[in-house]
Amino acid sequence: MRVLGIETSCDETGVALYDTDHGLLADALYSQVAMHADYGGVVPELASRDHTRKLLPLIQQVLDEAGLARSDLDGIAYTAGPGLVGALMVGASTAHGLARALDIPALGIHHMEGHLLAPMLEDEPPGFPFVALLVSGGHTQLVEVDGLGRYRLLGESVDDAAGEAFDKTAKMLELAYPGGPEVARLAEQGNPRRFRFPRPMTDRPGLDFSFSGLKTHTLTTANNLRDVGELDDQGRADIARAFEDAVVDTLVIKCRRALDQTGLKRLVVAGGVSANKRLRERLAIEVGKRGARAFYPRGRFCTDNGAMIAYVGAQRLLAGERDDSAMKAVPRWPLEGLMPP
């Protein structure tokens, strides 16, 4: 089965073609970062307009790369949520329009399920069951995964997610948008011994996260340095390092607890923050101590992309799922509400 995947949940237009017999055939991604950078964040109306402008050309690009025509498609998967409703509707309406014209099924896919299963696109995918740490945009979650659609939420952020905290810290330090990668780059120049920030909710049992207090602590430290004229380049770098170390330590501690609690030996880490170099280094040590193994998507599949949507869509379409005549766009959609196909 050849499935076209469409991702338009936020500020990246992703398209990919997945074949259930031959794997990923082609993928393309257009980022809106340069457009939104002037505003310091995503402007939903501009995002929707840009998806409209880029989506059909990207679909044609992917088909050309794979050497296929639209008539060769067997199904279309698209991100139905969560995300920006206008952006979601661009992908949903395009998918349903094409599917109806080609008389093939369309299926709305959960964005976070895409991230969760993105490592399945790699040469050595994880087997079920496993624990997954999802750190993407506004989501920080630990999930026990027993199979496609069989998810049990172990813990999640009760306020700011890790990615949001990275972006807000970047603004405090007057860094460019998008902020997360900029904080990580600046942290490489920081002194790890100058500041030690709190590791939130690690001094109590449980697997939930909270990064709002850490964000406030970071702001207070930055303001204190500014008051004494020490918020220079090195001061910003030292704050970035202390912040990153605190986030990484918190995520690692919670992953360690989740593996111990479930007794599982496989950990999937996915979403934008999963590309963080320090997080990967620390997790390699911790999972190794437990005789476990960590799995990640390749770099370009850590952030939003069409390949993860095409993969999940192919698995669910192959099992007989499909949308009814109505397209689906769900800005808020709990992952644990999904069902097996």
Side-chain angles (χ1 to χ4, degrees), residues 238-308:
D238 294 342
I239 289 174
R241 178 59 186 267
F243 169 82
E244 184 184 55
D245 282 347
V247 172
V248 167
D249 282 353
T250 300
L251 295 174
V252 169
I253 289 168
K254 298 290 185 171
C255 286
R256 186 175 65 208
R257 287 182 186 175
L259 290 172
D260 291 344
Q261 178 177 307
T262 61
L264 297 175
K265 297 298 184 182
R266 287 181 288 267
L267 174 70
V268 161
V269 188
V273 181
S274 70
N276 182 276
K277 177 183 174 182
R278 209 174 308 280
L279 176 62
R280 292 193 178 205
E281 290 173 348
R282 287 290 316 283
L283 282 175
I285 295 170
E286 289 300 322
V287 300
K289 290 178 181 177
R290 285 161 173 74
R293 181 179 174 186
F295 297 83
Y296 304 88
R298 71 195 75 170
R300 73 177 190 273
F301 294 160
C302 289
T303 53
D304 296 350
N305 63 88
M308 66 184 189

Side-chain angles (χ1 to χ4, degrees), residues 84-280:
L84 302 174
V85 66
L88 293 171
M89 289 181 68
V90 173
S93 58
T94 302
H96 269 264
L98 281 174
R100 187 166 298 181
L102 298 170
D103 195 25
I104 58 176
L107 180 63
I109 299 299
H110 195 293
H111 179 76
M112 296 308 294
E113 185 175 35
H115 279 300
L116 183 72
L117 299 179
M120 296 300 187
L121 292 162
E122 302 306 312
D123 292 336
E124 296 184 42
F128 298 116
F130 56 78
V131 170
L133 171 66
L134 295 177
V135 274
S136 173
H139 299 83
T140 301
Q141 297 176 317
L142 277 164
V143 183
E144 183 176 358
V145 180
D146 290 326
L148 180 65
R150 297 166 61 194
Y151 312 130
R152 182 169 72 92
L153 185 65
L154 301 174
E156 63 183 341
S157 179
V158 298
D159 42 52
D160 282 2
E164 290 175 318
F166 265 101
D167 288 341
K168 291 175 181 178
T169 294
K171 286 188 177 182
M172 297 175 201
L173 300 179
E174 301 174 350
L175 301 178
Y177 171 86
E182 293 298 316
V183 171
R185 276 191 283 271
L186 185 60
E188 292 294 322
Q189 307 164 32
N191 178 358
R193 292 174 292 278
R194 183 175 182 182
F195 301 112
R196 178 175 172 81
F197 287 2
R199 275 63 173 159
M201 295 184 73
T202 58
D203 58 348
R204 66 189 78 175
L207 296 173
D208 284 337
F209 302 90
S210 171
F211 293 104
S212 179
L214 175 60
K215 178 194 65 179
T216 302
H217 187 92
T218 303
L219 178 61
T220 300
T221 304
N223 286 338
N224 289 341
L225 288 189
R226 186 179 288 108
D227 289 343
V228 297
E230 294 183 9
L231 193 61
D232 52 13
D233 290 345
Q234 189 58 50
R236 288 186 173 88
D238 294 342
I239 289 174
R241 178 59 186 267
F243 169 82
E244 184 184 55
D245 282 347
V247 172
V248 167
D249 282 353
T250 300
L251 295 174
V252 169
I253 289 168
K254 298 290 185 171
C255 286
R256 186 175 65 208
R257 287 182 186 175
L259 290 172
D260 291 344
Q261 178 177 307
T262 61
L264 297 175
K265 297 298 184 182
R266 287 181 288 267
L267 174 70
V268 161
V269 188
V273 181
S274 70
N276 182 276
K277 177 183 174 182
R278 209 174 308 280
L279 176 62
R280 292 193 178 205

